[in-house]
Each structure stands twice: as structure tokens, then as C-alpha cells.
Amino acid sequence: RIKSRWREQQHQRQRRAMRKRGSGSPVPNGPAEGEAVVLQRSITLLNGVAIIVGTIIGSGIFVSPTGVLREAGSPGLSLVVWAVCGLFSIVGALCYAELGTTISKSGGDYAYMLAVYGPLPAFLKLWIELLIIRPSSQYIVALVFATYLIKPLFPTCPVPDTAAKLVACLCVLLLTAVNCYSVKAATRVQDAFAAAKLLALVLIIILGFVQLGKGEISNLSPEHSFDGTSTDVGKWVLALYSGLFAYGGWNYLNFVTEEMIDPYKNLPRAIIISLPIVTLVYVLTNLAYFTTLTTDEMLNSEAVAVDFGNYHLGVMAWIIPVFVGLSCFGSVNGSLFTSSRLFFVGAREGHLPSLLAMIHPRLLTPAPSLIFTCVMTLLYAFSKDIFSVINFFSFFNWLCVALAIIGMIWLRYKSPELNRPIKLNLLLPVFFILACIFLIVVSFWMTPVECAIGFVIILTGIPVYYFGVWWKSKPKWVVHSIFSTTVLCQKLLEVVPQEL
């Protein structure tokens, strides 16, 4: 009844608007007369590239690209690690291109695990994503944005925590409002800020090549570039971990597959275009840093790009902090956009409250899942040590990625009839799976206590699953309470179930 009422009201609004304009065109952002209320396929190839590039490139490459250098020990090995991590991410992204065109559902890892392993493993993935990984990472990047935005107001002292947290929360609220208003507006924000961060990195790269042309770059000369290289294999692995963390987000486009225009073509194209760009930019940016800053200066720097800008840009050095802030702002937008689709799909599959699978009938955006993502993110403003929480799950991401790609190989044999626009050589996914297993083993070896705590937190999702998903014969009062709450929220948010 509620859905029918909203459909009727929507048509009435459209007819009134058309009469006012004296034309037969539908209301902007809304469905045409008689068209189903669904999330529209509006993400173009350019939007897809912007989502990947904009999500991967956050604050890390500007602020602290020192994690790799600290473990590698030398500029030469550091650059090698950045390149290897880029190639590794490209292989993983290509595997996900095959997965995304074979199982053409939004939801990324969650959707693939659900299709291959069933509901419980997929729910545990969803449980940790909504509880820890997505909201905490979004809040951290928003906090970095806030710190750089208001730093000019506190030139001689640290930015107050309360002020930074307040601005971070306002950033999340603003971007949630934009995403709730229009998918097109959200993708335009993503496009603009992805271009801004690439422009900033290109500026750094150009300045680096100018410095390189002047000569006297001793730490990059063939005879000195590997001076100080660590001989500890454990540190090499940690350097790889740091590099791969900076490439995080290469699989985010798979979370919005159903909203892409012609995903069978544009999903792999976006991956093939964006990952080499990011890899090249990361390597050349680090090369540029080494042309100006010594190893010790980089390791002791709180913000490498800012120090680099201060050296080269003089009175215009403020440009770099501004671009760092813009980069973080775009990353938060991309993460909110994709996270909301993950929770939307989870609700559609019955693993989250049905309200989160509803959309606004005029704006055609998943407003409930966006608001839920926003609330979960804002809760981390009350946390005093977010990074320790994230460290508990260093192994979990690679475990889920490995399981998804194992599932891809399994589907080749179980369901050979499925349409596969892309089919990789088997050696690539096998190599990637072995590398993921290696990273998982190293995680447990290097941080056994943190991984054990993370594993226990993952298991807390099992009773939640059995109560919320598996238990179908709930008492009438429970069912009635859930239904009443859902109807109330529908009325408040003006949303309806998607028409499939």
C-alpha cells in the first residue's frame, strides 16, 4: 500500500511539474511516466575510472609515503616495491574484471562469496565491513581532510582534536546529502576531485623531473640508490604490506556494477585504464620526492608532499595542503558511494533490514543505506584509537579477496556455461591466490595477537546471522516490531522497495 501510494504521488508530482513547464518531459532525477523505480544505470566509463582512481589515491601518497621506505631502507628498493605493488594490484583487478562480468551484481566480494560459498560466509564479510572496515576508514580519511582544511587557522600549534572531529563529521554529512540527492551529482563530485588529485600529483612529478634535470641527485644515482637496503626479508614483506595498503580500493568499482552503463565493456575498461595510471603516478611521485628530499628527511617528515612543496613552490606552497584536502574529500565521497551499495545489496539479499534496500522514488538514490553508512561513520568520532581497530583485520581483506578469486576458478568448472566476456589465463588468478595466502600467513606471523582478536570479532557475526537471517519463525511481536519500525522509517524518508 505504501509503495502504491508513493508511486501515485510521484506520478501526480510529475504531471503537475509537466503542466507548469508546458512540456511532456519528466521531473529531473525522477523516473519517466510508467518507468520502474530502480537504481539507474548512469555510471559511465569516465565515472568508473574516477571511482577507482579517486578511491585509491587518498592522503597516503601526499602525507606519509614513508612506510615503504622505512622498511625497504633505500630509495631504489622503495621504488621497486611501489612498482611491484602496482603490478600485483593490476593482476587482482583483472581477476575482479572477470568476476564482475561473470557475476554482474553489485556488492563486490560480498556478492561473489554469496554466490559461491553461501549466506553465512558472505554475511560475516558484510558484518565486518559495516561494523569496522568501511566506517572506520571513511572517518580516518575525513579526519585527515579536516586537519588540512583548518590547519591554516592554527599555524603555530597542532589542530585541536575537537575542531578536526567536528569538521570531519560535517564533511561526511555534506557528502551523504549530495549522494542522497543525486547519483549524477555524486559522480560529478568524484570526477572533479579525482582530476584535482591527479593534477596535484602531476605538478609534483613535473617539479621532480625539473630537479632531476638539474643533476646532483646523489641518492638516485645507480651506485647509491640502493645504499642502506634492508637485508631482512621480514621488512621486505612489511614494505609490500605498506605499499598494497596505499593501493587499497582497486576493487571498489565492483560494488556498483549494476549501476554501470554496459558493465560488460566498461567495467574491465575502467580497470585497465585506471590501475596503470595509479601505478605510474605512484612510482613517479615517489621518484620526485627522492629528487628533493633525502632518506632521513622523508622518514622524519610529517607530511612529505608539504615539505616538497615548501622547497619548490615558495609563497605558493599552500597549494599542496589544499590538494591534500581535496584528495581526501574525493576519497570519502567514493567510499560512501560504494559502501552504501554494499549495504543496499546486503539488505536486498535479506542479510540486513529491508529498509536499507529501499530507494527514493523521485531521486532514485538508496537514501536509507547512505544514511546508515553516514551514521556508522560518525560513531567513530567517539573512538580514541581507530588505527588499532583496523589493525585487527589486516588479514581479513586478503582472505576475502582470495576466497572470491578461488570462487572464480571454481565457477569456471562448476558453471562453464556462464557468459564470460573476459577470461584470464589461469596462471594469473593462481599466482594472485598464492600471494594472498602468503600475506595472510605473514599477518598471523607478525601480529598474532591482533589477528586472533580480529578473528574473534568476526565470529561474533555468527549469532547475529542465526538470529537475524536464519531464524525464520520469529515471535509475532518481533515481526510486528520490525514491520512497524520499517513502515515508520519509510514514511520519514519517503522511500519504497526497488521494483525488480
Side-chain angles (χ1 to χ4, degrees):
R1 290 197 302 270
I2 293 170
K3 181 168 71 174
S4 299
R5 186 172 73 247
W6 279 115
R7 288 282 292 151
E8 183 180 352
Q9 291 176 353
Q10 166 62 15
H11 292 162
Q12 289 173 354
R13 284 195 294 266
Q14 288 178 342
R15 286 192 289 270
R16 286 196 299 267
M18 286 187 285
R19 282 196 297 268
K20 286 180 181 180
R21 292 197 304 267
S23 69
S25 59
V27 176
N29 300 325
E33 186 75 23
E35 186 180 338
V37 178
V38 295
L39 294 178
Q40 303 294 301
R41 290 192 180 274
S42 58
I43 299 177
T44 64
L45 174 60
L46 177 61
N47 298 149
V49 172
I51 288 173
I52 297 175
V53 172
T55 306
I56 293 177
I57 302 176
S59 62
I61 190 64
F62 295 100
V63 181
S64 55
T66 55
V68 174
L69 178 60
R70 182 176 292 107
E71 306 300 339
S74 67
L77 184 58
S78 176
L79 293 173
V80 171
V81 169
W82 280 105
V84 169
C85 290
L87 293 174
F88 182 75
S89 300
I90 290 172
V91 173
L94 289 174
C95 292
Y96 267 60
E98 178 176 336
L99 268 169
T101 51
T102 303
I103 305 173
S104 56
K105 290 184 177 181
S106 296
D109 307 337
Y110 165 76
Y112 309 145
M113 292 177 68
L114 180 64
V116 177
Y117 303 105
L120 180 56
F123 178 84
L124 294 178
K125 163 68 174 176
L126 184 66
W127 174 246
I128 296 303
E129 289 281 354
L130 73 86
L131 198 66
I132 306 289
I133 296 176
R134 291 305 184 112
S136 61
S137 60
Q138 285 159 188
Y139 179 74
I140 288 171
V141 179
L143 192 62
V144 175
F145 160 76
T147 302
Y148 273 84
L149 181 68
I150 62 178
K151 178 60 179 175
L153 301 177
F154 304 93
T156 60
C157 62
V159 174
D161 288 342
T162 304
K165 287 185 175 183
L166 178 60
V167 174
C169 291
L170 291 174
C171 165
V172 174
L173 288 168
L174 173 61
L175 288 172
T176 300
V178 171
N179 277 265
C180 285
Y181 174 71
S182 168
V183 172
K184 184 170 289 187
T187 54
R188 284 176 176 171
V189 168
Q190 193 66 20
D191 294 348
F193 284 90
K197 64 183 69 181
L198 282 178
L199 180 63
L201 292 172
V202 168
L203 173 62
I204 291 173
I205 291 168
I206 291 173
L207 292 173
F209 273 104
V210 170
Q211 186 71 13
L212 197 63
K214 295 179 180 178
E216 300 180 6
I217 312 297
S218 60
N219 57 340
L220 289 178
S221 61
E223 59 270 18
H224 297 296
S225 58
F226 286 88
D227 288 352
T229 297
S230 174
T231 56
D232 186 347
V233 177
K235 288 192 173 184
W236 291 6
V237 175
L238 291 175
L240 285 171
Y241 242 114
S242 296
L244 290 171
F245 183 79
Y247 282 95
W250 52 262
N251 58 342
Y252 273 27
L253 190 59
N254 291 64
F255 288 91
V256 296
T257 307
E258 293 174 27
E259 295 178 68
M260 292 194 69
I261 299 172
D262 197 359
Y264 296 107
K265 291 183 179 179
N266 287 335
L267 176 64
R269 285 176 179 172
I271 288 171
I272 291 169
I273 292 171
S274 56
L275 265 298
I277 289 175
V278 173
T279 301
L280 183 64
V281 166
Y282 270 11
V283 172
L284 293 181
T285 300
N286 278 276
L287 178 66
Y289 290 151
F290 287 125
T291 64
T292 302
L293 304 174
T294 65
T295 300
D296 289 337
E297 287 173 338
M298 282 189 66
L299 292 176
N300 295 323
S301 173
E302 293 184 359
V304 174
V306 174
D307 290 344
F308 181 90
N310 290 337
Y311 182 90
H312 287 285
L313 298 176
V315 295
M316 296 298 292
W318 57 269
I319 291 176
I320 299 299
V322 168
F323 275 118
V324 174
L326 295 178
S327 177
C328 295
F329 192 81
S331 294
V332 175
N333 182 70
S335 186
L336 281 172
F337 187 87
T338 56
S339 298
S340 64
R341 271 54 177 186
L342 171 61
F343 304 144
F344 177 89
V345 173
R348 189 178 65 188
E349 298 294 341
H351 288 179
L352 291 176
S354 60
L355 177 70
L356 300 184
M358 298 184 187
I359 63 177
H360 195 284
R362 180 173 59 86
L363 302 176
L364 299 181
T365 57
S369 61
L370 281 161
I371 294 171
F372 174 76
T373 306
C374 175
V375 171
M376 292 298 296
T377 302
L378 295 180
L379 288 176
Y380 276 86
F382 300 99
S383 174
K384 294 183 179 180
D385 191 6
I386 304 176
F387 292 96
S388 63
V389 176
I390 294 178
N391 289 337
F392 294 154
F393 301 95
S394 57
F395 71 96
F396 185 68
N397 178 60
W398 296 113
L399 175 62
C400 293
V401 169
L403 288 174
I405 297 178
I406 290 171
M408 181 190 80
I409 297 175
W410 168 247
L411 285 175
R412 286 190 181 185
Y413 295 97
K414 182 183 178 183
S415 304
E417 75 282 358
L418 291 176
N419 180 34
R420 291 178 174 82
I422 291 181
K423 191 172 183 180
L424 299 178
N425 186 299
L426 190 61
L427 291 177
L428 288 178
V430 169
F431 161 76
F432 194 83
I433 291 166
L434 293 175
C436 287
I437 293 172
F438 174 73
L439 291 171
I440 295 166
V441 171
V442 168
S443 288
F444 277 94
W445 175 52
M446 300 294 291
T447 56
V449 176
E450 288 85 350
C451 289
I453 293 172
F455 190 73
V456 170
I457 295 174
I458 292 168
L459 295 180
T460 62
I462 294 178
V464 177
Y465 169 81
Y466 279 102
F467 175 81
V469 180
W470 181 82
W471 186 23
K472 302 298 183 183
S473 56
K474 296 181 179 68
K476 289 184 178 180
W477 68 270
V478 174
V479 175
H480 179 72
S481 299
I482 294 172
F483 177 78
S484 300
T485 304
T486 302
V487 170
L488 175 62
C489 292
Q490 276 189 265
K491 291 178 180 179
L492 292 173
L493 299 176
E494 301 185 1
V495 293
V496 298
Q498 184 174 223
E499 297 179 0
L500 301 176

